[in-house]
Amino acid sequence: MKPVSFTINGMAVSAEVEPRTHLADFLREERDLTGTHLGCEHGVCGACTILVDGAPVRSCLTYAVACSGAEVTTIEGLDNDEVTAELREAFKREHALQCGYCTPGMLISARDLVLRAPDADERAIRVAMSGNLCRCTGYVGIIRAIKSVISARRARAIAPVAMNGGALGPAGSRHSGSETVSELMAGRATATPVSAKAQRPAMDRDWRPQVSFEQSFVVHYPRQQVWDFFGQVRDVAACLPGASLVEEPTDNHAEGKIRVKIGPITAEFRGEADIERDEKTYSGKIIGAGSDVRSSSSTRGMINYSLRPTDGGRATEVAITVGYTLTGMLAQFGRSGIVQDVASRLTAAFAQNLEARLGGKALEDLPVSGEGLNAGSLLFALIRDRFKALLKRLFGTR
Amino acid sequence: MKPVNFAYEKPRHLDDALRLLGNGSQAKVLAGGQSLGPMLNMRLVQPDLIVDITALDALKHCEKQQDFLVLGACITHADIEDGRVPDVTNGAMAAVACGIAYRAVRNRGTIGGSLTNADPSADWISALAALGADAIVRGKDTRTIPVESYVTGALETSLGENELLEAIRVPAHSKKARWGYYKVCRKTGEYAHAIGAVLLDRARNVFRAVIGATERKPLVLADAKPLFQGSDDLRKFDPTAADAMLASIGMDDPLDRKIHTVALARAVQQASA
C-alpha cells in the first residue's frame, strides 16, 4: 500500500492505496463516486473520462498513486459548473442520451472542447469527440447539443481558455514525487506460475482459422533428407526458438510449449498437436491448440507444409500455410499484423536452424536459440540486405 | 481487467530511477501510461515494480538550442499540440501531436513513452524518424542515437535494462522546409494502418521519407531520392519505387503495399502544396 493525497471535487482526501488501483476504481469503490463509469478499461471507450488538474484524462489508465497532489474532478463535482449546466440542458433538449452510460465521459470531454475551441465546426466536434463511444443515441444528438452550446457561447463572445500556460508533463504528475525512494520492498507481489492443464485440441475438420498466411523458404538439402528430418518431432521442435516438448512425442502427437516475447509482453503457450504426414505427396499437417495462462489467451492453429525439390534436386522448397485463431487478451490487444510479423520471424529462425541442423550442427550450436524468440531485430539483417540489393538494382551504386 | 499487484516508486532523481531499474527485478518504466496501462490492465505485462518517471524534472525539461529543440521524454502530446513547448519544425510536430489518439490520452501520453513503447502503428516512431530526430539515452553514460536506430522492431528498442530515454533532440527546420505527414485510420484516433512522412529541407541538404505502420520498424530513407526518380523534386514521386521497397522488406500483400504507398503519396502531396 502507498499513501496518496489529493483533492476530489475540492475536498482533501488522503488514503492508502494499492499501486495498481486506478483512479476510476478508487473513486467508485472507495469514495462512492459512481458517476464515473467504466466501460472498456483500456482507454478506448471514454466512459471513465474525468478531470485531473483541469484536463480530461482516462481514469482507467491513470493510477491513483500517480496523482499525488493533484486536483481530481468527477462529474459529481461539476454540478454547479456553468458550462456543464449548459451542456446538460442541451443534451436533454437534443436527446443526446438514452441509457446514460457514456454521458459522464461525454459531458467532460464536451466541456473541455467547449472551453478550448469556440470555433469548432461540426467536423471538429466529431473529431474531438471521437474518443467517447456511445452505443445508443448514434451521436447526432450529442454533436447537435455540443454545437448549440458552442454557438450560444460564441454569440455571447466568450473567449477560449488558454491552454499554453502551466507545467509540462502528464496531467496529474506535476506535483510531488516521493522524497526518498524506499528500498525495494520484500513481499512484493510476484506472479505465481499457474500450472496449465494443456488443452486438448479439438480436431474439428470444419474449423476455419481467422487468419491465415503462406510462407516459403529454401533449404540446401535434398527433399528426402528434409522429409525424414520433418518426421522427427523432437528435432523439428528444437529448431523453433522458445519451443520445447513437455512429453516424449509420438509420430503423430506432441505436447509442448512455446515462449514468445514481444516487447514487454511475454506469452507462453502450452498445448498439444496432432501430426499427419503423407509420404506420397511429401506434405504434412499439424493441428494444435494451446493457451497462455498469464494473459488468459488461447489459440488454435493449423500448419500445412509441402516439400518441393528445386535447384535440380539439390535443394528443397518448403511451403507453409499457417492458419490460426487467437482469442483472449492477446487477441484484444494484438493487431493481427504484429502476430504475423512474429510468425514470420519464427519461420525465418526455423529455416536458419533447420539448415544448420541438416548440415550436422549440434543442437547447442544452432544459430537462433534462446529463452524464447525475442521479436526484436531478428529478421532485420536479412531485410536490410534484401533492401540494399533492391536499391542497388534500382539505382546502381549505393 | 485489473493489473497484477506491483510495487511502485516515483523517484525524484534520475540516478534513483536508474538504480531502481538496474537491480535485476522485473521493472517497467511508467510515464503517462497510455500504452502501458492497457497492457497492464489486460495483464499482458506483469511487472514486479513500476518506476514512475514523471517526477523527474530533467524529463519534463525543454530547451531550444542553436539548431535543435531538446524535448524531455515526459513531455506530453498535448504539451506539443497546445504550444506549451517551443517549435522548431514550422508546426509539423504540433500537427502530428494533435492527431494522436484522443485529447484525454494526449493529456497524459508522452512523446518518450510513445517512442519507447515502439508500437509500429504509433505516430512518433515514424514522425520523429522522418524529422531526423535523435534519442538521448541515459545510463552509465549518455548516448545519442538516431530514432531509426533507437527503435529496433515491433515494440522493441535498443534501450538497455539500466537505461532511460531522457530526451528527444529535434533538428530545426529552415523556413522553406517542406513537410508532409499522412496516416490512414478507419476510425479517428485509432492506431494507424499506414503512415507516410516526407521532409525536404534543401537549405540543410535534408531529404527524408518514412513509411510507417508496417507492423515492424518503420522503413526510413535518410536519402529519399530513390523514391523521386533520383531527384529532390517532390513532383517526381514514383509509387512503383515505394511499392518495390515495401515488397523487399517482406510486405507481401499487394493491398497493404498500396495503402502504404498511397499514405506516402498523400504526405508528398501535402509537402508540395
Side-chain angles (χ1 to χ4, degrees), chain B residues 22 48 60 65 72 135 168 180 183 189 194 198 204 215 237-238 243 245 255 263:
Chain B
D48 296 332
K60 292 192 275 191
Q65 297 172 352
I168 289 137
K183 61 173 172 175
V198 65
R204 291 189 298 131
E215 305 298 1
F237 176 63
D238 175 10
D243 187 78
M245 281 179 202
L255 177 64

Side-chain angles (χ1 to χ4, degrees), chain B:
Chain B
M1 292 289 283
K2 309 296 173 196
V4 293
N5 244 326
F6 48 74
Y8 172 92
E9 297 292 349
K10 192 176 185 180
R12 299 193 98 175
H13 303 287
L14 205 67
D15 292 341
D16 287 336
L18 291 171
R19 194 164 53 80
L20 285 165
L21 293 173
N23 75 358
S25 63
Q26 278 279 4
K28 275 300 293 172
V29 172
L30 177 79
Q34 301 302 290
S35 303
L36 185 60
M39 292 190 204
L40 286 169
N41 284 4
M42 293 196 250
R43 298 202 174 187
L44 294 172
V45 180
Q46 307 190 357
D48 296 332
L49 169 70
I50 289 282
V51 180
D52 184 337
I53 55 169
T54 58
L56 304 175
D57 288 337
L59 273 57
K60 292 192 275 191
H61 185 68
C62 175
E63 192 183 339
K64 201 169 165 178
Q65 297 172 352
Q66 186 76 32
D67 300 317
F68 295 101
L69 176 69
V70 177
L71 285 167
C74 284
I75 298 225
T76 65
H77 316 311
D79 289 335
I80 297 167
E81 174 183 13
D82 295 345
R84 281 190 292 275
V85 295
D87 174 44
V88 295
T89 61
N90 307 334
M93 287 188 78
V96 171
C98 78
I100 297 173
Y102 317 107
R103 181 72 183 180
V105 169
R106 299 198 289 274
N107 280 327
R108 282 189 55 80
T110 66
I111 187 168
S114 171
L115 188 60
T116 304
N117 189 58
D119 191 305
S121 299
D123 291 81
W124 287 125
I125 69 167
S126 289
L128 290 171
L131 292 167
D134 296 315
I136 301 174
V137 173
R138 266 288 285 274
K140 268 198 188 123
D141 312 299
T142 301
R143 55 192 183 105
T144 301
I145 43 176
V147 162
E148 60 262 41
S149 325
Y150 179 70
V151 175
T152 54
L155 305 172
E156 301 274 350
T157 65
S158 70
L159 209 58
E161 244 175 46
N162 308 338
E163 289 184 319
L164 262 180
L165 177 66
E166 183 179 12
I168 289 137
R169 193 175 74 167
V170 184
H173 289 188
S174 73
K175 281 219 173 61
K176 285 189 175 162
R178 315 294 310 178
W179 165 258
Y181 182 83
Y182 191 90
K183 61 173 172 175
V184 177
C185 297
R186 279 190 303 190
K187 173 186 180 296
T188 311
E190 71 168 359
Y191 278 113
H193 298 282
I195 290 175
V198 65
L199 170 65
L200 173 59
D201 196 350
R202 289 202 182 89
R204 291 189 298 131
N205 204 15
V206 167
F207 190 20
R208 300 173 68 85
V210 171
I211 303 179
T214 59
E215 305 298 1
R216 47 178 74 86
K217 64 180 280 181
L219 174 59
V220 181
L221 285 154
D223 173 6
K225 286 198 194 85
L227 289 169
F228 296 83
Q229 302 171 38
S231 76
D232 68 352
D233 183 346
L234 288 169
R235 287 165 305 181
K236 289 192 174 160
F237 176 63
D238 175 10
T240 56
D243 187 78
M245 281 179 202
L246 290 167
S248 82
I249 62 161
M251 196 181 281
D252 299 325
D253 182 358
L255 177 64
D256 227 5
R257 291 204 300 274
K258 181 76 180 171
I259 294 171
H260 284 80
T261 307
V262 166
L264 183 59
R266 292 190 183 168
V268 171
Q269 209 171 24
Q270 275 179 20
S272 33

Side-chain angles (χ1 to χ4, degrees), chain A residues 35-71:
Chain A
T36 300
H37 292 170
L38 276 170
C40 71
E41 252 186 310
H42 62 284
V44 176
C45 78
C48 71
T49 307
I50 61 169
L51 298 175
V52 172
D53 289 340
V57 305
R58 300 284 202 241
S59 59
C60 74
L61 297 184
T62 306
Y63 296 107
V65 70
C67 293
S68 224
E71 260 176 46

